[in-house]
Amino acid sequence: MCPPTHFKVTYSINPWMDPAKPVDLPLALTQWEDLRDRYHALGHTVELLEPRPDLPDMVFAANGATVIDGRVLGARFAYAERTAEAAVHREWFHDHGFTDVREPDHVNEGEGDFAVTSSYILAGRGFRSSSLSHDEAQEFFGRPVIGLDLVDPLYYHLDTALCVLDDAGDEIMYYPGAFSPGSRAVLARLFPDALIADETDAAALGLNAVSDGRHVLLPQAAVGLCRALRERGFEPIGMDLGELLKGGGSVKCCTQELRPRETAGGGH
């Protein structure tokens, strides 16, 4: 996780990203610290990535890499504003004992567009990550990669439209409206028991969530998802990351999951 340094929102892809509403930096930091502290309280290890004022979007640490079984596929960002982040992430992994770190050939924005279950890597495409990165990930990790087409610019990354709830059991939740008809059919076939989010909860970025298999940290505005998660035996924890939402991300965007070789889980 990388603490926020300075935000200057200069574009508006989504309704949350309004340049007329500047980010309250002290409040953003408080909200980020609350997320960090909540992970600690749940027993998770949190590693920190040192922020850099010239790379304000690095607070969205999920985009910097994908880690599976201790192997690291780095990121290659779609836009020049974030390009330099990729090297910072790779350097962090080298400095922290990860020996198998790949600099990718094709554009992928880390766990923004790669979601890991026990059986598959679900891979988003259409707005940021290249389809060519899917083959690259499959060859590197040796796991089947399922390409999913995102068709609504509101859901520009896979992690805004889909969340893995229990990677051991291939349990997910997602919003069908974010995907092409073919991709919806694939998801329905592979995950017939998935939790389906409605438009209201999806628009609140409720699927930009992190689950440890029991606790699900998600935006507090996604009240319908909270109710549905409880009915399925999960423990939803609503988080207020409203200031970070102005930059286009929430819980998952701020959280890169580390999956070491020794364990099925890992730190965040």
Side-chain angles (χ1 to χ4, degrees):
M1 296 178 67
C2 179
T5 51
H6 173 72
F7 284 94
K8 182 181 180 184
V9 180
T10 57
Y11 55 93
S12 183
I13 299 173
N14 298 305
W16 328 294
M17 301 167 70
D18 183 354
K21 299 177 181 177
V23 172
D24 182 329
L25 185 57
L27 180 55
L29 182 59
T30 297
Q31 292 174 345
W32 178 90
E33 289 174 338
D34 185 37
L35 177 62
R36 177 203 60 194
D37 294 345
R38 190 62 59 98
Y39 282 136
H40 281 144
L42 293 173
H44 297 295
T45 300
V46 178
E47 303 284 358
L48 299 181
L49 181 66
E50 190 68 24
R52 279 179 38 174
D54 59 324
L55 298 174
D57 283 326
M58 207 161 66
V59 68
F60 300 127
N63 304 137
T66 303
V67 187
I68 304 175
D69 294 331
R71 307 188 75 203
V72 182
L73 178 62
R76 183 178 292 274
F77 287 91
Y79 293 105
E81 291 84 354
R82 300 196 67 181
T83 298
E85 295 178 39
V88 177
H89 281 269
R90 291 196 306 272
E91 182 179 358
W92 186 93
F93 283 107
H94 284 301
D95 290 347
H96 287 77
F98 290 81
T99 58
D100 196 350
V101 181
R102 177 183 173 89
E103 180 178 358
D105 296 322
H106 303 291
V107 172
N108 86 74
E109 298 203 339
E111 290 198 327
D113 276 323
F114 288 136
V116 181
T117 77
S118 63
S119 300
Y120 312 105
I121 300 173
L122 305 178
R125 62 194 176 202
F127 294 104
R128 300 290 180 88
S129 297
S130 164
S131 295
L132 295 173
S133 72
H134 298 183
D135 293 337
E136 186 173 22
Q138 182 165 281
E139 286 300 310
F140 182 69
F141 291 119
R143 293 193 179 200
V145 173
I146 308 298
L148 300 170
D149 290 303
L150 297 164
V151 296
D152 184 336
L154 184 65
Y155 307 100
Y156 52 90
H157 273 151
L158 183 65
D159 70 359
T160 65
L162 182 149
C163 172
V164 177
L165 292 172
D166 184 356
D167 55 5
D170 277 351
E171 191 167 359
I172 69 169
M173 60 180 179
Y174 69 96
Y175 172 55
F179 298 94
S180 69
S183 294
R184 291 198 298 269
V186 168
L187 287 168
R189 181 180 291 271
L190 294 179
F191 306 98
D193 299 321
L195 194 165
I196 304 300
D198 64 22
E199 183 177 8
T200 299
D201 286 331
L205 221 61
L207 292 159
N208 196 246
V210 171
S211 173
D212 61 11
R214 177 186 174 191
H215 310 95
V216 183
L217 283 68
L218 75 167
Q220 63 183 13
V223 293
L225 275 179
C226 288
R227 182 169 56 251
L229 286 164
R230 288 192 192 94
E231 291 172 354
R232 292 196 175 212
F234 292 95
E235 188 176 325
I237 300 172
M239 305 297 301
D240 180 8
L241 296 181
E243 292 305 301
L244 294 163
L245 190 62
K246 293 177 182 178
S250 190
V251 177
K252 176 57 188 172
C253 285
C254 293
T255 310
Q256 183 179 121
E257 298 184 53
L258 307 180
R259 301 176 182 88
R261 215 178 293 275
E262 306 80 41
T263 65
H268 294 88

